[in-house]
Amino acid sequence: KARKDHYPAPYALIDLWVKYGDQSHSMMTQEAKSVANLVVGDTAKNLVRTFFLREKLKGQGKAPKDAPPIKRVHVIGAGVMGGDIAAWCALRGLHVTLQDRSHEVIGRALKRAAGLFKKRLKDPLRIQDAMDRLVPDVPGHGVARADLVIEAIVENVEAKQGLFKDLEGRIKEDALLTTNTSSIKLETIGEALERPERLVGLHFFNPVAQMPLVEIVHSDKTDPAAAQRAAAFAKQIDRLPLPVKSSPGFLVNRILMPYLLEAVLIHEERVSPKVIDKAALDFGMPMGPLRLADTVGLDICLSVAEILSKELDVPVPESLRVMVEKGNLGAKSGSGFYRYQNGKPLEDKGGEGGKAPRDLTDRLIGRLVNEAVACLREGVVDNAELLDAGIIFGTGFAPFRGGPLNYANRLGVDNYVDKLQDLEGRHGGGFKPDSGWEALAGG
Ligand code: NAI
């Protein structure tokens, strides 16, 4: 799967064997040369950085002293997220009760869980054990015994507030109370609680089993020990915790959205989705932005974009609204920027899709990097390393580039600001360099 221009090492290794495999002496000399070249290359340096970034995230998950262990989890909402979070917790050995309004919804989640257990555990006894640990619970009996409650119901303020109000009187004294909200401020949900300091955001990404990052969201009101316990829980279930401040889009969606929206704007300029996505893949992203938007669902993209546009300067492209109004929601509706059948992309036999504008890649990545600098300035995360780590493990941002801030640093902060100013001149205010660049230039 590795591309030679991004990951040269496996190709260099094969080359060695092809050229010198039958001459043991020159093989060693050539290998020394080849490895020396690779080790000082950008890819190796950045991948070493990425390795330590992962370690740094793991280091965020130290349990606070004397914190009670988390053995029983109660998940409320058995939809896309809650169902998969519950399954993942059961896979990792926890006892889980899963609540929703009907048995049918929970049944669908259990079916997906069985598929996950089968794939990961293989052994029928272990699969059965995991299934036994995941208990459907429509009346919500599990609440009273849970060490941790995870709310993953619909994204609606009143619904969540109502639920938390009811939960507060029923949970154990030392239970941890969390929400998987992706866009509602923790402060707003917390208004329903007598003790809002207990509430922490535990923001998983979709699909839960494949996305290693969990944002641990805290507000000014959150008890730091509760946030620390939530981070330790993420590590306990083998996920990477990233502490973030409660602010619109937290870190990952906030940075991803301008990049996706820029792709939509470029598409409005009649550049084909194929060309746009290819530029992102060539840069090293795991998926092009328009394919990603189709996969997430254009309605979800639109609602996140609208929330961000209210609080930040992120205009929503008109064409996105029109597509959603027409019911073109991406993979789930059969058509979006691409066409799909039963959720699977239809093979496109068309050619390259036209010529790419010269500044296409810079436009896509420039928006993302500029937003990253804004997040650092605002203190959404504590430091540049955590930011790069969050974007690599939360979005798959080209690991061999070591993160968006590392990428800009390597190109030179002044050069990057020049590039953004140039783009601003041609494409408008979205590229106006954030004031946070000044601090980076000084550092
Ligand atoms: P969904 O619509 O698939 O599932 C929500 C479930 O909650 C439904 O099954 C519904 O029956 C149930 N529900 C609603 N009110 C309830 C109540 N009072 N008691 C018990 N069950 C109730 O939604 P989805 O996508 O799983 O989202 C859930 C939460 O996760 C939202 O806050 C969303 O913002 C967040 N989230 C979603 C992501 C995604 O990609 N879908 C990613 C990260 C977070």
Side-chain angles (χ1 to χ4, degrees), residues 3 6 259 276-289 400:
R3 284 171 57 143
H6 297 159
Y259 156 78
I276 297 170
D277 282 352
K278 180 174 181 301
L281 295 175
D282 288 348
F283 178 83
M285 302 304 258
M287 192 187 261
F400 67 95

Side-chain angles (χ1 to χ4, degrees), residues 256-273:
L256 205 53
M257 199 41 72
Y259 156 78
L260 291 191
L261 296 182
E262 189 62 26
V264 178
L265 286 175
I266 299 172
H267 182 246
E268 283 182 4
E269 294 166 23
R270 314 197 83 75
V271 181
S272 76

Side-chain angles (χ1 to χ4, degrees), residues 93-104:
L94 291 149
H95 290 274
V96 185
T97 36
L98 178 58
Q99 180 181 349
D100 204 300
R101 290 183 289 209
S102 75
H103 283 290
E104 289 73 51

Side-chain angles (χ1 to χ4, degrees), residues 70 74 76 143 146-151 160 163-180 186 189-190 192-202 217 222 226-227 229-230:
I70 291 176
H74 183 77
I76 310 177
V143 170
D147 306 308
L148 164 68
V149 176
I150 305 176
E151 171 276 312
K160 288 198 196 275
L163 180 68
F164 276 102
K165 214 181 189 105
D166 169 59
L167 280 173
E168 193 170 30
R170 297 200 289 134
I171 54 172
K172 284 201 300 190
E173 177 58 27
D174 59 2
L176 190 58
L177 206 47
T178 66
T179 170
N180 186 48
L186 217 53
I189 299 176
L193 292 172
E194 275 174 29
R195 288 174 54 199
E197 65 275 12
R198 309 178 76 167
L199 182 66
V200 184
L202 204 55
V217 189
T222 311
R229 227 178 132 202

Side-chain angles (χ1 to χ4, degrees), residues 345-358:
L346 283 174
E347 207 184 317
D348 179 0
K349 298 198 179 71
E352 289 294 302
K355 204 166 168 308
R358 188 173 52 82

Side-chain angles (χ1 to χ4, degrees), residues 242-392:
L242 175 72
V244 297
K245 198 166 83 172
S246 170
S247 60
F250 311 133
L251 181 78
V252 171
N253 286 344
R254 157 112 180 246
I255 289 185
L256 205 53
M257 199 41 72
Y259 156 78
L260 291 191
L261 296 182
E262 189 62 26
V264 178
L265 286 175
I266 299 172
H267 182 246
E268 283 182 4
E269 294 166 23
R270 314 197 83 75
V271 181
S272 76
K274 237 181 181 177
V275 166
I276 297 170
D277 282 352
K278 180 174 181 301
L281 295 175
D282 288 348
F283 178 83
M285 302 304 258
M287 192 187 261
L290 296 179
R291 178 71 76 188
L292 179 62
D294 270 1
T295 308
V296 170
L298 300 188
D299 50 339
I300 293 183
C301 287
L302 179 64
S303 92
V304 176
E306 275 173 342
I307 288 162
L308 286 182
S309 76
K310 264 187 226 146
E311 311 224 16
L312 307 161
D313 187 19
V314 189
V316 182
E318 194 47 35
S319 64
L320 185 61
R321 274 193 228 281
V322 172
M323 287 174 86
V324 172
E325 273 163 26
K326 286 188 178 159
N328 297 329
L329 307 181
K332 62 184 166 190
S333 75
S335 105
F337 292 102
Y338 297 92
R339 297 178 64 74
Y340 302 81
Q341 203 164 35
N342 303 325
K344 300 259 170 329
L346 283 174
E347 207 184 317
D348 179 0
K349 298 198 179 71
E352 289 294 302
K355 204 166 168 308
R358 188 173 52 82
D359 57 7
L360 176 55
T361 310
D362 282 340
R363 276 181 79 175
L364 294 172
I365 305 302
R367 286 291 297 271
L368 187 155
V369 173
N370 204 29
E371 201 65 35
V373 170
C375 286
L376 187 64
R377 171 178 55 74
E378 288 176 21
V380 176
V381 284
D382 275 355
N383 57 54
E385 285 194 322
L386 284 179
L387 191 144
D388 275 349
I391 299 308
I392 294 173

Side-chain angles (χ1 to χ4, degrees), residues 84-96 113-122 126-127 129-131 133-134 208-209 236-239:
D84 286 7
I85 293 168
W88 183 259
C89 291
L91 179 77
R92 304 302 307 168
L94 291 149
H95 290 274
V96 185
L116 173 75
F117 299 157
K118 217 166 149 187
K119 200 163 142 200
R120 299 278 179 133
L121 299 172
K122 300 198 170 67
R126 293 180 67 207
I127 296 170
D129 275 353
M131 284 311 286
R133 285 194 296 270
L134 180 55
V208 174
Q236 180 185 340
I237 58 167
D238 200 24
R239 304 282 82 173

